[in-house]
Amino acid sequence: MATSSPPSPLQVLAEFSFERILSQDARSKTAAILGSSNKVPTILHLERLPLDGIELAAVSSRLEGPRLTDSNDIYAWLLADLVPSPTHPSLKIYSISPATEAHIKKYSTQKRALVRETPEVYARIVDPFVRGQDPGRIQWVYNILMGKKEVDRVVFKDGDEVKGFVLLPDSKWDGKNVETLYLQTIVNDRSIRSLRDLRAKHLPLLKNIRDKILTVVPSKFPDVSAHELRLYIHYQPSYYHLHVHVTNLSFESPGQQVGQAHLLDDVIDNIEVIDRDYYAKRTLVYALGTESPLFGRLVAEGGEGVLCAASG
Amino acid sequence: MATSSPPSPLQVLAEFSFERILSQDARSKTAAILGSSNKVPTILHLERLPLDGIELAAVSSRLEGPRLTDSNDIYAWLLADLVPSPTHPSLKIYSISPATEAHIKKYSTQKRALVRETPEVYARIVDPFVRGQDPGRIQWVYNILMGKKEVDRVVFKDGDEVKGFVLLPDSKWDGKNVETLYLQTIVNDRSIRSLRDLRAKHLPLLKNIRDKILTVVPSKFPDVSAHELRLYIHYQPSYYHLHVHVTNLSFESPGQQVGQAHLLDDVIDNIEVIDRDYYAKRTLVYALGTESPLFGRLVAEGGEGVLCAASG
């Protein structure tokens, strides 16, 4: 075949040939499948669309072929179809074509395992891993802190070198719908790599973040109150420069799960009330993807002892 | 009309007349709507069905009317319909008719707020609230512990009065699909009401639960390993008798969020390594439905000070 313009996404879709399922999620009603189209590897990520208000108001006229599966007193379980309509499609599709090996890996279900990071395991394995990270990987953070990039996205800035931070929308937030509000707080202090580094000397920073966020965010977004904001730190984080996640309480994302997320309030209380070296002493338990580099290091250098198991 | 047998669920559905949306969830693609049917209040809970493996394998022949919404290089966003078929309905429906006020409240979106429970607030407001609970509300727990009810559901039993417990499937689990495994551990010791009561003397119980669960569950359910089990305690709990949740790591439910869930491993480490009275000293932050009785008590007796806000 002679060189020609690449096929349009609609052509890609029309010529899609299924190979295998990469991942499926019953809760979010999503799936990623791998196939080929025009002989190139193609990923389709499919998601059922949320039930729309207009659809719900007209549900009685749009239900087709309902059948009863079970009933008990005033309760009943049924299955039915919601008639498709041009204004309310049933599926959202995200396609990647040609898809690389990295794309395929990203959309494939990854096994996860719970690990126990004792202070000894941190010192011997995790700390060297963090120190070995390419500094270039967080250049984008420094660009934001120095006001070189994403300047117009900044919601609030506190220039103090010790207590200061930059607040800006997370890339996953549309910046509009307060119901799914998601902001990031990036601290100015470049010496704090993660939760593990936090000590009593950081209390002024942590309290400044808490107090400013709980004042500034409700003033900029009047539809959310201070007691509806969830402030938390990830451990392990996705990059090693301290940052605090800020979300609307009503917005539940997987990254808010116990073991991965640590409430800023809890962090402050642990250091201030319980023990100034709390995060040096704790064994931290968290889930890691078994394909992640850190998991590889932990198992190679820490052995099976790092995996959660009975101690008896 | 003379007295007659109540209408069948299919009749209820056919005569449903929409009034208003009670709740909607964009992530899980569910919605609850209130209407009337045969003049009685009726709730329909609707849920889009997960994408099925057979549907995915045949996706190219079942997509209808795809239209492009955006594209960028090898990435494209599209909308389409998945053609309904008798074997793959699009909706699961749960109906309640006649629905009471309690049903309507249960399915209505409830505002939630984050509260800060200091040891002082616990002693003054929460402890009396817990002591004031009707003992009859946990008779069902004692029935299980005494082997009077749900005997055939018990997965494992350790009869020790101090360290023992009963392990059985959570009512939300189908008991089959290990991907969504959900078990409950109910302790024999009736004196422990919640996380707040845990002290150093409970370490033998907590460690016994951890070690037995991490051994017994993988032996009974060979498709799940010890390092894939999430063991956690809720605070506030739904009933005041200590119980530990056991789920498959890959199963993400809202009740696993930071602030509500506390990893059993963290609880043990906090008491054993950090401070034997850790749970007496901590200020605990958690989300509460603003319609819940405890929230009412906290605000009535604790004032605005219990709500998360800037301290400055």
Side-chain angles (χ1 to χ4, degrees), chain A residues 11-253:
Chain A
Q11 281 176 291
V12 164
L13 199 61
E15 291 171 36
F16 180 82
S17 164
F18 173 85
E19 278 171 30
R20 63 186 165 93
I21 295 170
L22 298 177
S23 62
Q24 268 174 293
D25 183 49
R27 182 157 187 258
S28 63
K29 283 79 183 175
T30 55
I33 55 178
L34 179 68
S36 60
S37 187
N38 299 295
K39 295 184 182 156
V40 301
T42 298
I43 291 171
L44 298 182
H45 182 267
L46 309 169
E47 177 177 7
R48 301 253 198 221
L49 285 167
L51 290 154
D52 179 274
I54 301 163
E55 267 181 306
L56 292 170
V59 77
S60 49
S61 63
R62 298 195 50 221
L63 282 182
E64 201 169 70
R67 49 247 193 226
L68 191 65
T69 55
D70 207 353
S71 70
N72 182 349
D73 190 42
I74 64 168
Y75 309 100
W77 291 259
L78 307 101
L79 296 169
D81 279 307
L82 201 56
V83 182
S85 89
T87 49
H88 294 89
S90 60
L91 274 190
K92 197 158 73 179
I93 305 168
Y94 174 56
S95 81
I96 306 174
S97 178
T100 64
E101 266 307 311
H103 288 119
I104 294 170
K105 195 166 167 181
K106 181 177 170 188
Y107 282 91
S108 298
T109 301
Q110 189 178 148
K111 274 264 183 191
R112 289 191 305 155
L114 280 162
V115 299
R116 285 193 189 123
E117 182 190 290
T118 62
E120 184 274 325
V121 164
Y122 178 74
R124 183 161 57 88
I125 306 169
V126 181
D127 180 55
F129 172 84
V130 175
R131 272 189 278 113
Q133 297 287 299
D134 173 9
R137 287 187 59 177
I138 52 171
Q139 188 54 49
W140 66 272
V141 173
Y142 298 155
N143 289 342
I144 290 170
L145 293 178
M146 291 185 292
K148 288 184 181 173
K149 296 274 182 188
E150 307 191 39
V151 180
D152 50 335
R153 301 181 72 234
V154 168
V155 174
F156 179 76
K157 193 166 182 160
D158 177 334
D160 189 283
E161 277 180 36
V162 176
K163 298 195 302 173
F165 60 89
V166 168
L167 177 71
L168 72 175
D170 186 275
S171 60
K172 290 183 283 297
W173 186 39
D174 66 7
K176 285 174 244 157
N177 185 356
V178 176
E179 289 297 303
T180 56
L181 178 131
Y182 198 152
L183 305 164
Q184 289 282 353
T185 304
I186 300 174
V187 306
N188 291 339
D189 186 338
R190 299 186 183 191
S191 69
I192 316 169
R193 299 165 306 167
S194 77
L195 181 73
R196 266 288 186 206
D197 287 337
L198 292 173
R199 300 290 181 273
K201 67 175 177 184
H202 300 119
L203 282 172
L205 164 67
L206 299 173
K207 289 180 169 187
N208 185 48
I209 292 173
R210 180 174 67 185
D211 289 348
K212 294 262 168 70
I213 298 291
L214 293 186
T215 308
V216 166
V217 175
S219 84
K220 301 242 177 192
F221 304 95
D223 288 336
V224 63
S225 309
H227 56 263
E228 290 171 331
L229 289 176
R230 201 194 293 270
L231 278 58
Y232 54 96
I233 295 169
H234 279 157
Y235 193 78
Q236 293 285 334
S238 55
Y239 59 96
Y240 293 94
H241 174 107
L242 189 72
H243 53 287
V244 179
H245 302 257
V246 181
T247 62
N248 189 325
L249 185 58
S250 68
F251 176 55
E252 294 178 345
S253 81

Side-chain angles (χ1 to χ4, degrees), chain A residues 27 29 47 257 270 278, chain B residues 27 29 47 256 270 278:
Chain A
R27 182 157 187 258
K29 283 79 183 175
E47 177 177 7
Q257 288 191 314
N270 278 328
Y278 182 88
Chain B
R27 181 155 189 259
K29 284 79 182 176
E47 177 178 7
Q256 298 170 349
N270 278 328
Y278 181 87

